[in-house]
mmCIF file with all atom_site columns, all heavy atoms in Angstrom:
data_model
loop_
_atom_site.group_PDB
_atom_site.id
_atom_site.type_symbol
_atom_site.label_atom_id
_atom_site.label_alt_id
_atom_site.label_comp_id
_atom_site.label_asym_id
_atom_site.label_entity_id
_atom_site.label_seq_id
_atom_site.pdbx_PDB_ins_code
_atom_site.Cartn_x
_atom_site.Cartn_y
_atom_site.Cartn_z
_atom_site.occupancy
_atom_site.B_iso_or_equiv
_atom_site.pdbx_formal_charge
_atom_site.auth_seq_id
_atom_site.auth_comp_id
_atom_site.auth_asym_id
_atom_site.auth_atom_id
_atom_site.pdbx_PDB_model_num
ATOM 1   N N   . ILE N 1 210 ? -0.420  -5.564  5.508  1.00 98.00 ? 216 ILE N N   1
ATOM 2   C CA  . ILE N 1 210 ? -0.341  -5.172  6.921  1.00 98.00 ? 216 ILE N CA  1
ATOM 3   C C   . ILE N 1 210 ? 0.057   -6.377  7.786  1.00 98.00 ? 216 ILE N C   1
ATOM 4   O O   . ILE N 1 210 ? -0.380  -6.512  8.917  1.00 98.00 ? 216 ILE N O   1
ATOM 5   C CB  . ILE N 1 210 ? -1.664  -4.556  7.413  1.00 98.00 ? 216 ILE N CB  1
ATOM 6   C CG1 . ILE N 1 210 ? -2.846  -5.519  7.221  1.00 98.00 ? 216 ILE N CG1 1
ATOM 7   C CG2 . ILE N 1 210 ? -1.931  -3.227  6.714  1.00 98.00 ? 216 ILE N CG2 1
ATOM 8   C CD1 . ILE N 1 210 ? -4.123  -5.085  7.921  1.00 98.00 ? 216 ILE N CD1 1
ATOM 9   N N   . TYR N 1 211 ? 0.867   -7.273  7.216  1.00 98.00 ? 217 TYR N N   1
ATOM 10  C CA  . TYR N 1 211 ? 1.380   -8.453  7.915  1.00 98.00 ? 217 TYR N CA  1
ATOM 11  C C   . TYR N 1 211 ? 0.272   -9.467  8.210  1.00 98.00 ? 217 TYR N C   1
ATOM 12  O O   . TYR N 1 211 ? 0.365   -10.245 9.153  1.00 98.00 ? 217 TYR N O   1
ATOM 13  C CB  . TYR N 1 211 ? 2.118   -8.042  9.202  1.00 98.00 ? 217 TYR N CB  1
ATOM 14  C CG  . TYR N 1 211 ? 3.241   -7.077  8.910  1.00 98.00 ? 217 TYR N CG  1
ATOM 15  C CD1 . TYR N 1 211 ? 3.015   -5.695  8.934  1.00 98.00 ? 217 TYR N CD1 1
ATOM 16  C CD2 . TYR N 1 211 ? 4.511   -7.527  8.559  1.00 98.00 ? 217 TYR N CD2 1
ATOM 17  C CE1 . TYR N 1 211 ? 4.029   -4.792  8.621  1.00 98.00 ? 217 TYR N CE1 1
ATOM 18  C CE2 . TYR N 1 211 ? 5.534   -6.630  8.258  1.00 98.00 ? 217 TYR N CE2 1
ATOM 19  C CZ  . TYR N 1 211 ? 5.280   -5.268  8.283  1.00 98.00 ? 217 TYR N CZ  1
ATOM 20  O OH  . TYR N 1 211 ? 6.281   -4.376  7.973  1.00 98.00 ? 217 TYR N OH  1
ATOM 21  N N   . GLY N 1 212 ? -0.749  -9.438  7.359  1.00 98.00 ? 218 GLY N N   1
ATOM 22  C CA  . GLY N 1 212 ? -1.797  -10.444 7.389  1.00 98.00 ? 218 GLY N CA  1
ATOM 23  C C   . GLY N 1 212 ? -1.613  -11.418 6.239  1.00 98.00 ? 218 GLY N C   1
ATOM 24  O O   . GLY N 1 212 ? -0.628  -11.348 5.496  1.00 98.00 ? 218 GLY N O   1
ATOM 25  N N   . PRO N 1 213 ? -2.562  -12.331 6.054  1.00 98.00 ? 219 PRO N N   1
ATOM 26  C CA  . PRO N 1 213 ? -2.415  -13.350 5.008  1.00 98.00 ? 219 PRO N CA  1
ATOM 27  C C   . PRO N 1 213 ? -2.741  -12.826 3.619  1.00 98.00 ? 219 PRO N C   1
ATOM 28  O O   . PRO N 1 213 ? -3.583  -11.941 3.449  1.00 98.00 ? 219 PRO N O   1
ATOM 29  C CB  . PRO N 1 213 ? -3.427  -14.424 5.429  1.00 98.00 ? 219 PRO N CB  1
ATOM 30  C CG  . PRO N 1 213 ? -4.460  -13.689 6.219  1.00 98.00 ? 219 PRO N CG  1
ATOM 31  C CD  . PRO N 1 213 ? -3.743  -12.560 6.908  1.00 98.00 ? 219 PRO N CD  1
ATOM 32  N N   . GLN N 1 214 ? -2.057  -13.385 2.623  1.00 98.00 ? 220 GLN N N   1
ATOM 33  C CA  . GLN N 1 214 ? -2.425  -13.131 1.243  1.00 98.00 ? 220 GLN N CA  1
ATOM 34  C C   . GLN N 1 214 ? -3.805  -13.740 0.986  1.00 98.00 ? 220 GLN N C   1
ATOM 35  O O   . GLN N 1 214 ? -4.245  -14.657 1.662  1.00 98.00 ? 220 GLN N O   1
ATOM 36  C CB  . GLN N 1 214 ? -1.394  -13.749 0.306  1.00 98.00 ? 220 GLN N CB  1
ATOM 37  C CG  . GLN N 1 214 ? -0.024  -13.110 0.423  1.00 98.00 ? 220 GLN N CG  1
ATOM 38  C CD  . GLN N 1 214 ? 1.032   -13.800 -0.414 1.00 98.00 ? 220 GLN N CD  1
ATOM 39  O OE1 . GLN N 1 214 ? 0.792   -14.853 -0.973 1.00 98.00 ? 220 GLN N OE1 1
ATOM 40  N NE2 . GLN N 1 214 ? 2.225   -13.215 -0.488 1.00 98.00 ? 220 GLN N NE2 1
ATOM 41  N N   . GLY N 1 215 ? -4.500  -13.195 -0.008 1.00 97.00 ? 221 GLY N N   1
ATOM 42  C CA  . GLY N 1 215 ? -5.825  -13.717 -0.343 1.00 97.00 ? 221 GLY N CA  1
ATOM 43  C C   . GLY N 1 215 ? -6.926  -13.210 0.556  1.00 97.00 ? 221 GLY N C   1
ATOM 44  O O   . GLY N 1 215 ? -8.021  -13.788 0.595  1.00 97.00 ? 221 GLY N O   1
ATOM 45  N N   . THR N 1 216 ? -6.667  -12.111 1.285  1.00 98.00 ? 222 THR N N   1
ATOM 46  C CA  . THR N 1 216 ? -7.706  -11.516 2.137  1.00 98.00 ? 222 THR N CA  1
ATOM 47  C C   . THR N 1 216 ? -7.762  -10.019 1.885  1.00 98.00 ? 222 THR N C   1
ATOM 48  O O   . THR N 1 216 ? -6.745  -9.374  1.627  1.00 98.00 ? 222 THR N O   1
ATOM 49  C CB  . THR N 1 216 ? -7.433  -11.753 3.636  1.00 98.00 ? 222 THR N CB  1
ATOM 50  O OG1 . THR N 1 216 ? -6.186  -11.123 4.008  1.00 98.00 ? 222 THR N OG1 1
ATOM 51  C CG2 . THR N 1 216 ? -7.361  -13.225 3.956  1.00 98.00 ? 222 THR N CG2 1
ATOM 52  N N   . GLY N 1 217 ? -8.944  -9.465  1.963  1.00 98.00 ? 223 GLY N N   1
ATOM 53  C CA  . GLY N 1 217 ? -9.112  -8.033  1.764  1.00 98.00 ? 223 GLY N CA  1
ATOM 54  C C   . GLY N 1 217 ? -10.449 -7.576  2.280  1.00 98.00 ? 223 GLY N C   1
ATOM 55  O O   . GLY N 1 217 ? -11.265 -8.375  2.781  1.00 98.00 ? 223 GLY N O   1
ATOM 56  N N   . VAL N 1 218 ? -10.677 -6.285  2.155  1.00 98.00 ? 224 VAL N N   1
ATOM 57  C CA  . VAL N 1 218 ? -11.889 -5.656  2.687  1.00 98.00 ? 224 VAL N CA  1
ATOM 58  C C   . VAL N 1 218 ? -12.364 -4.595  1.708  1.00 98.00 ? 224 VAL N C   1
ATOM 59  O O   . VAL N 1 218 ? -11.550 -3.853  1.145  1.00 98.00 ? 224 VAL N O   1
ATOM 60  C CB  . VAL N 1 218 ? -11.614 -4.987  4.056  1.00 98.00 ? 224 VAL N CB  1
ATOM 61  C CG1 . VAL N 1 218 ? -12.807 -4.149  4.512  1.00 98.00 ? 224 VAL N CG1 1
ATOM 62  C CG2 . VAL N 1 218 ? -11.253 -6.016  5.110  1.00 98.00 ? 224 VAL N CG2 1
ATOM 63  N N   . LEU N 1 219 ? -13.665 -4.533  1.509  1.00 97.00 ? 225 LEU N N   1
ATOM 64  C CA  . LEU N 1 219 ? -14.269 -3.355  0.897  1.00 97.00 ? 225 LEU N CA  1
ATOM 65  C C   . LEU N 1 219 ? -15.238 -2.762  1.899  1.00 97.00 ? 225 LEU N C   1
ATOM 66  O O   . LEU N 1 219 ? -16.178 -3.430  2.338  1.00 97.00 ? 225 LEU N O   1
ATOM 67  C CB  . LEU N 1 219 ? -15.007 -3.702  -0.400 1.00 97.00 ? 225 LEU N CB  1
ATOM 68  C CG  . LEU N 1 219 ? -15.726 -2.508  -1.056 1.00 97.00 ? 225 LEU N CG  1
ATOM 69  C CD1 . LEU N 1 219 ? -14.726 -1.440  -1.498 1.00 97.00 ? 225 LEU N CD1 1
ATOM 70  C CD2 . LEU N 1 219 ? -16.592 -2.950  -2.237 1.00 97.00 ? 225 LEU N CD2 1
ATOM 71  N N   . TYR N 1 220 ? -14.989 -1.532  2.287  1.00 98.00 ? 226 TYR N N   1
ATOM 72  C CA  . TYR N 1 220 ? -15.947 -0.774  3.094  1.00 98.00 ? 226 TYR N CA  1
ATOM 73  C C   . TYR N 1 220 ? -16.943 -0.125  2.150  1.00 98.00 ? 226 TYR N C   1
ATOM 74  O O   . TYR N 1 220 ? -16.556 0.522   1.171  1.00 98.00 ? 226 TYR N O   1
ATOM 75  C CB  . TYR N 1 220 ? -15.219 0.292   3.912  1.00 98.00 ? 226 TYR N CB  1
ATOM 76  C CG  . TYR N 1 220 ? -16.108 1.438   4.337  1.00 98.00 ? 226 TYR N CG  1
ATOM 77  C CD1 . TYR N 1 220 ? -17.037 1.281   5.364  1.00 98.00 ? 226 TYR N CD1 1
ATOM 78  C CD2 . TYR N 1 220 ? -16.039 2.676   3.687  1.00 98.00 ? 226 TYR N CD2 1
ATOM 79  C CE1 . TYR N 1 220 ? -17.866 2.339   5.734  1.00 98.00 ? 226 TYR N CE1 1
ATOM 80  C CE2 . TYR N 1 220 ? -16.859 3.731   4.060  1.00 98.00 ? 226 TYR N CE2 1
ATOM 81  C CZ  . TYR N 1 220 ? -17.777 3.566   5.085  1.00 98.00 ? 226 TYR N CZ  1
ATOM 82  O OH  . TYR N 1 220 ? -18.599 4.600   5.449  1.00 98.00 ? 226 TYR N OH  1
ATOM 83  N N   . ILE N 1 221 ? -18.228 -0.307  2.428  1.00 97.00 ? 227 ILE N N   1
ATOM 84  C CA  . ILE N 1 221 ? -19.299 0.318   1.649  1.00 97.00 ? 227 ILE N CA  1
ATOM 85  C C   . ILE N 1 221 ? -20.203 1.061   2.621  1.00 97.00 ? 227 ILE N C   1
ATOM 86  O O   . ILE N 1 221 ? -20.878 0.448   3.451  1.00 97.00 ? 227 ILE N O   1
ATOM 87  C CB  . ILE N 1 221 ? -20.144 -0.711  0.866  1.00 97.00 ? 227 ILE N CB  1
ATOM 88  C CG1 . ILE N 1 221 ? -19.260 -1.642  0.036  1.00 97.00 ? 227 ILE N CG1 1
ATOM 89  C CG2 . ILE N 1 221 ? -21.165 -0.009  -0.029 1.00 97.00 ? 227 ILE N CG2 1
ATOM 90  C CD1 . ILE N 1 221 ? -20.037 -2.775  -0.634 1.00 97.00 ? 227 ILE N CD1 1
ATOM 91  N N   . ARG N 1 222 ? -20.197 2.360   2.542  1.00 97.00 ? 228 ARG N N   1
ATOM 92  C CA  . ARG N 1 222 ? -21.015 3.162   3.448  1.00 97.00 ? 228 ARG N CA  1
ATOM 93  C C   . ARG N 1 222 ? -22.489 2.811   3.302  1.00 97.00 ? 228 ARG N C   1
ATOM 94  O O   . ARG N 1 222 ? -22.996 2.629   2.187  1.00 97.00 ? 228 ARG N O   1
ATOM 95  C CB  . ARG N 1 222 ? -20.800 4.655   3.171  1.00 97.00 ? 228 ARG N CB  1
ATOM 96  C CG  . ARG N 1 222 ? -21.605 5.578   4.106  1.00 97.00 ? 228 ARG N CG  1
ATOM 97  C CD  . ARG N 1 222 ? -21.331 7.038   3.801  1.00 97.00 ? 228 ARG N CD  1
ATOM 98  N NE  . ARG N 1 222 ? -21.622 7.392   2.416  1.00 97.00 ? 228 ARG N NE  1
ATOM 99  C CZ  . ARG N 1 222 ? -22.848 7.613   1.938  1.00 97.00 ? 228 ARG N CZ  1
ATOM 100 N NH1 . ARG N 1 222 ? -23.910 7.485   2.721  1.00 97.00 ? 228 ARG N NH1 1
ATOM 101 N NH2 . ARG N 1 222 ? -23.012 7.945   0.670  1.00 97.00 ? 228 ARG N NH2 1
ATOM 102 N N   . SER N 1 223 ? -23.181 2.703   4.411  1.00 96.00 ? 229 SER N N   1
ATOM 103 C CA  . SER N 1 223 ? -24.623 2.432   4.384  1.00 96.00 ? 229 SER N CA  1
ATOM 104 C C   . SER N 1 223 ? -25.323 3.499   3.548  1.00 96.00 ? 229 SER N C   1
ATOM 105 O O   . SER N 1 223 ? -25.056 4.694   3.679  1.00 96.00 ? 229 SER N O   1
ATOM 106 C CB  . SER N 1 223 ? -25.198 2.450   5.806  1.00 96.00 ? 229 SER N CB  1
ATOM 107 O OG  . SER N 1 223 ? -24.676 1.402   6.570  1.00 96.00 ? 229 SER N OG  1
ATOM 108 N N   . GLY N 1 224 ? -26.207 3.041   2.666  1.00 95.00 ? 230 GLY N N   1
ATOM 109 C CA  . GLY N 1 224 ? -26.935 3.954   1.803  1.00 95.00 ? 230 GLY N CA  1
ATOM 110 C C   . GLY N 1 224 ? -26.384 4.046   0.397  1.00 95.00 ? 230 GLY N C   1
ATOM 111 O O   . GLY N 1 224 ? -27.061 4.562   -0.503 1.00 95.00 ? 230 GLY N O   1
ATOM 112 N N   . VAL N 1 225 ? -25.154 3.549   0.181  1.00 96.00 ? 231 VAL N N   1
ATOM 113 C CA  . VAL N 1 225 ? -24.589 3.546   -1.171 1.00 96.00 ? 231 VAL N CA  1
ATOM 114 C C   . VAL N 1 225 ? -25.288 2.485   -2.014 1.00 96.00 ? 231 VAL N C   1
ATOM 115 O O   . VAL N 1 225 ? -25.387 1.323   -1.605 1.00 96.00 ? 231 VAL N O   1
ATOM 116 C CB  . VAL N 1 225 ? -23.071 3.268   -1.135 1.00 96.00 ? 231 VAL N CB  1
ATOM 117 C CG1 . VAL N 1 225 ? -22.523 3.001   -2.534 1.00 96.00 ? 231 VAL N CG1 1
ATOM 118 C CG2 . VAL N 1 225 ? -22.330 4.443   -0.502 1.00 96.00 ? 231 VAL N CG2 1
ATOM 119 N N   . SER N 1 226 ? -25.793 2.870   -3.162 1.00 94.00 ? 232 SER N N   1
ATOM 120 C CA  . SER N 1 226 ? -26.447 1.915   -4.061 1.00 94.00 ? 232 SER N CA  1
ATOM 121 C C   . SER N 1 226 ? -25.395 0.990   -4.651 1.00 94.00 ? 232 SER N C   1
ATOM 122 O O   . SER N 1 226 ? -24.402 1.453   -5.231 1.00 94.00 ? 232 SER N O   1
ATOM 123 C CB  . SER N 1 226 ? -27.178 2.663   -5.187 1.00 94.00 ? 232 SER N CB  1
ATOM 124 O OG  . SER N 1 226 ? -28.178 3.501   -4.647 1.00 94.00 ? 232 SER N OG  1
#
Side-chain angles (χ1 to χ4, degrees):
I216 57 169
Y217 303 91
Q220 295 175 352
T222 62
V224 171
L225 177 64
Y226 157 75
I227 308 174
R228 181 179 57 78
S229 295
V231 169
S232 299

